[in-house]
Amino acid sequence: MGPLISCDDRPVTTSPQRPRNPGDHPDHSDRAGHDGHSDHSGHGHGGHDGHGRSGHGGHGGHGGHGHGGHGGHGHAHSHGPAAPGSRHLRKVIAAVLIPFAAAVVIGMAVLWPGGTPDHSRTGVGFDRQTQQGQVVRLERVDCKDVNAAQVPPTGDTSTPEGREAVQSQNGQCKKATVEVRSGPDRGRTFVEIVQPGAPRQLSDGQEVVVAYAPDAPRDLQYSVIDVNRKLPLALLAGIFAVAVVLVGRLRGVTALIALVVSFAVLTLFILPAILQGSNPLLVAVVGASAIMLIALYMCHGLTARTSVAVLGTLVSLVLIGLLGSLFIDWAFLSGNTDDNTGLIHGLYPHIDMSGLLLAGVIIGSLGVLDDVTVTQTSAVWELHQADPAMGPRDLYRAGIRIGRDHIASVVNTLVLAYAGAALPLLLLFSIAQSSVGTVANSELVAEEIVRTLVGSIGLVASVPVTTALAALVVSADRPVSPTATPAGVPGRGGRGRRRKR
């Protein structure tokens, strides 16, 4: 995958001239291979040791001499898959992408939020002040001594609350002394009681996250809300980074940098801009476009091949945005379906929650779209390299056959990813023995259905669109010299082969 304008300044080597056999034709015994260019005298160029074995990029000189060689003999270099050499083609691609990139930059400048807006803490859900803490002492106590107030007055165990209160009287509970390790109250301790059936158990020396409620009584201001998982998560991220670099090498490094940049755009631009009151759909389109341009060009280079993938991704994102907007409105999806979205709407009532839902669809589809468009573009480019004689129609047919396999796997991946995320919800519907129609009609599940199907339609559409664009672009490339022998064609003047008369 070469750049739009590429050159190779590597030195060439020379070899002694081979005496010509009497039967060899003086003009064709050293014919060049692919991209070897002949001068006006008609001599071949770039042959290695005079045998006519030229790789990519062998260039002819004047007067019948190979470039960099002596007596018509040069050593050619292989450049790998090259970007289209047509200056007109590069101008067309630049005419499309440069205004698009400029529009993205202007959009980010206009919508730039300048930070997350301040608000008063509600103390609900994630909107709580938190500090770091550590369990410094752990004791086992009789649950009866710490849960006496939880026994139902009537002893009724017919309700879940009653059964839970009775069960809390049996067994051994844990009495954890927790020390606050950050914030203005650093060094302060408080007691946390852990029930035997609690899903989160504490151990001595364990690091935890504690919530701070300044308006509560002093003994109740601090409570444990979670455990500290920073170390295992950081270790896992390090293993991931090492694996990517070891396998991908330089390409892996650029992929990691692109990942960091993508998260920076998400956290510094998209999220604060939505909180500031900007239209979520507009912010998502601008932010996703910026992520797409940065990630694709950083990972795959500033080439015509990457530009085609960008165009295919852009067309698919537009389709996803249109379909998502249509069906979210038609299905009356509010986007406010759980405690988290309810809290967001309560804190920032001006946010369009249905627009936020559509923004999530667009951003969620972008990562898989990049994979599909880059793969399809690379497939068409490699098909062209293998057989330069293939026209746009043949390239499209061959590329679309590859794309059909990709469609099947990617759509299945999307559906399973969303199903896995909504698995607890699906379990609740299964427990309630609800019918499939009832489950699908609920707003919680309908959101996931629309998200999955709209994203999948965009992915499916990206395959023919990107394949067609790639076939047209790569077929528009023409060699500089019409007499150059295409790559992949058996040598017409190979080693020791005489010209047929």
Side-chain angles (χ1 to χ4, degrees):
M1 180 169 59
L4 292 176
I5 301 176
S6 62
C7 59
D8 192 352
D9 295 326
R10 288 176 291 183
V12 297
T13 58
T14 60
S15 56
Q17 183 174 1
R18 177 181 64 87
R20 182 179 287 109
N21 294 329
D24 290 343
H25 193 278
D27 290 341
H28 299 281
S29 61
D30 294 328
R31 181 167 302 216
H34 181 55
D35 283 343
H37 308 295
S38 61
D39 62 5
H40 298 291
S41 64
H43 294 284
H45 306 282
H48 183 62
D49 290 337
H51 300 304
R53 294 180 298 154
S54 176
H56 299 282
H59 303 284
H62 297 284
H65 296 286
H67 179 68
H70 297 282
H73 305 282
H75 181 72
H77 299 281
S78 175
H79 298 278
S86 170
R87 180 177 298 178
H88 175 70
L89 183 60
R90 293 199 300 269
K91 288 182 178 179
V92 170
I93 294 176
V96 175
L97 291 179
I98 290 179
F100 171 62
V104 171
V105 173
I106 294 173
M108 292 188 69
V110 172
L111 297 172
W112 192 261
T116 303
D118 295 330
H119 71 279
S120 301
R121 296 278 187 177
T122 63
V124 178
F126 290 102
D127 193 36
R128 290 181 283 186
Q129 299 183 40
T130 59
Q131 302 293 345
Q132 299 300 313
Q134 186 177 19
V135 179
V136 294
R137 187 169 66 253
L138 196 65
E139 306 174 55
R140 292 189 177 276
V141 295
D142 195 338
C143 288
K144 292 181 180 180
D145 298 335
V146 293
N147 295 326
Q150 297 186 17
V151 178
T154 61
D156 183 14
T157 59
S158 61
T159 63
E161 293 81 7
R163 288 192 297 269
E164 182 179 351
V166 171
Q167 291 172 1
S168 66
Q169 300 299 304
N170 303 320
Q172 294 288 314
C173 292
K174 293 180 180 179
K175 181 180 179 182
T177 302
V178 182
E179 181 180 347
V180 180
R181 292 295 179 93
S182 64
D185 291 332
R186 183 173 182 174
R188 178 177 167 181
T189 60
F190 65 96
V191 174
E192 183 84 8
I193 302 299
V194 182
Q195 305 296 330
R200 182 178 61 244
Q201 297 293 319
L202 300 180
S203 58
D204 194 10
Q206 186 174 26
E207 295 184 351
V208 294
V209 179
V210 298
Y212 175 59
D215 297 332
R218 178 174 176 80
D219 293 342
L220 302 177
Q221 286 181 335
Y222 283 96
S223 60
V224 176
I225 60 171
D226 210 341
V227 297
N228 192 329
R229 303 180 181 90
K230 292 181 180 179
L231 180 59
L233 292 179
L235 180 60
L236 182 60
I239 295 174
F240 164 74
V242 171
V244 170
V245 173
L246 287 179
V247 177
R249 298 189 179 181
L250 181 59
R251 188 65 60 84
V253 173
T254 57
L256 291 176
I257 296 175
L259 181 62
V260 172
V261 173
S262 298
F263 272 102
V265 173
L266 181 64
T267 57
L268 299 179
F269 171 69
I270 296 179
L271 300 180
I274 293 175
L275 292 178
Q276 289 282 10
S278 299
N279 184 285
L281 176 59
L282 183 60
V283 171
V285 169
V286 174
S289 299
I291 291 174
M292 173 184 66
L293 290 172
I294 294 171
L296 286 180
Y297 282 118
M298 184 175 291
C299 292
H300 305 285
L302 191 63
T303 64
R305 180 188 302 193
T306 308
S307 299
V308 171
V310 169
L311 289 175
T313 305
L314 177 61
V315 172
S316 301
L317 281 179
V318 171
L319 177 61
I320 290 173
L322 293 176
L323 286 176
S325 179
L326 172 63
F327 283 94
I328 286 175
D329 290 340
W330 194 3
F332 298 100
L333 298 178
S334 65
N336 188 2
T337 54
D338 57 22
D339 294 339
N340 294 327
T341 54
L343 178 59
I344 293 172
H345 184 65
L347 294 174
Y348 301 95
H350 56 272
I351 293 180
D352 180 9
M353 300 304 294
S354 61
L356 185 63
L357 173 62
L358 180 56
V361 173
I362 293 175
I363 295 174
S365 302
L366 177 61
V368 189
L369 269 178
D370 289 350
D371 173 58
V372 173
T373 55
V374 169
T375 301
Q376 284 304 115
T377 306
S378 297
V380 173
W381 242 262
E382 294 303 324
L383 287 169
H384 177 70
Q385 290 290 327
D387 186 3
M390 294 178 69
R393 181 174 298 179
D394 292 334
L395 284 172
Y396 176 80
R397 289 175 177 173
I400 204 68
R401 286 194 294 269
I402 299 173
R404 290 190 185 106
D405 292 336
H406 205 182
I407 286 173
S409 61
V410 167
V411 169
N412 195 44
T413 299
L414 263 184
V415 173
L416 291 179
Y418 285 125
L423 197 58
L425 177 64
L426 296 178
L427 282 175
L428 288 177
F429 281 108
S430 178
I431 292 171
Q433 297 182 351
S434 301
S435 64
V436 175
T438 302
V439 172
N441 189 66
S442 66
E443 186 171 1
L444 274 173
V445 177
E447 278 189 4
E448 301 303 328
I449 292 176
V450 170
R451 193 195 311 268
T452 302
L453 296 184
V454 168
S456 298
I457 291 172
L459 290 175
V460 171
S462 70
V463 172
V465 169
T466 307
T467 305
L469 286 173
L472 291 174
V473 168
V474 77
S475 299
D477 184 26
R478 293 293 182 266
V480 177
S481 173
T483 60
T485 304
V489 177
R492 299 177 184 174
R495 178 191 293 266
R497 181 174 296 181
R498 304 172 185 269
R499 182 186 179 191
K500 295 182 181 180
R501 300 177 181 239

